[in-house]
Amino acid sequence: EHERQTEMVEGLRALAEVAAAGPLPRLHTQHRVVGDDLCHFLAPASLVNRTDAAGKIFLTSRRLVFVSGGTLAWPWHRIQRVMRVERDLLVHTLRHNDVLGVRCNTYGDAVVAAHIAARLRADARR
């Protein structure tokens, strides 16, 4: 339990840094799925309820992307909301009310990803 609390506190510190910085962070990556998008977040993750789906989540200026054996991607205007529950991000899409569960490796990654996703969704709606 102590490790879990420490991890959450570290995640809240990371969130405070991102929120206080103003503009979203820009990560330099040469991963092919990012293309010419600006990458704002990248972390190891897996799909909830799928043991064989370890991969990475990317939050770019245009899309949320999960890469594992294949690539799953949704443009921000197709995402209804992103909710964080523990280390999971629940991505609600506009397509038939689909919900994708992405499990981050740390609470910090999940907290920061949820914040960045909310900002990118808001920007896409403007």
Side-chain angles (χ1 to χ4, degrees):
E1 188 63 32
H2 175 71
E3 288 177 24
R4 192 172 170 180
Q5 290 174 349
T6 301
E7 190 179 313
M8 182 56 89
V9 168
E10 289 171 4
L12 292 173
R13 284 188 184 130
L15 173 61
E17 285 180 31
V18 169
L24 290 174
R26 289 187 178 184
L27 306 177
H28 298 285
T29 179
Q30 294 181 352
H31 201 289
R32 61 180 168 65
V33 299
V34 174
D36 62 351
D37 292 3
L38 296 176
C39 184
H40 298 291
F41 182 83
L42 159 66
S46 59
L47 293 179
V48 175
N49 299 325
R50 297 240 346 245
T51 58
D52 63 338
K56 293 181 182 178
I57 184 173
F58 295 85
L59 304 181
T60 77
S61 54
R62 296 181 184 149
R63 307 168 286 155
L64 180 149
V65 182
F66 179 80
V67 178
S68 183
T71 301
L72 301 171
W74 297 267
W76 290 112
H77 69 275
R78 294 272 189 200
I79 295 175
Q80 201 169 29
R81 69 178 179 253
V82 177
M83 296 174 44
R84 184 192 63 83
V85 178
E86 303 268 332
R87 291 183 177 134
D88 296 347
L89 298 173
L90 303 178
V91 181
H92 297 257
T93 66
L94 294 175
R95 184 175 175 245
H96 304 105
N97 284 330
D98 287 343
V99 178
L100 171 73
V102 177
R103 179 157 294 148
C104 295
N105 287 0
T106 68
Y107 284 100
D109 285 347
V111 169
V112 171
H115 171 78
I116 291 174
R119 288 182 59 184
L120 290 167
R121 273 192 64 256
D123 289 348
R125 300 226 184 275
R126 292 180 198 184

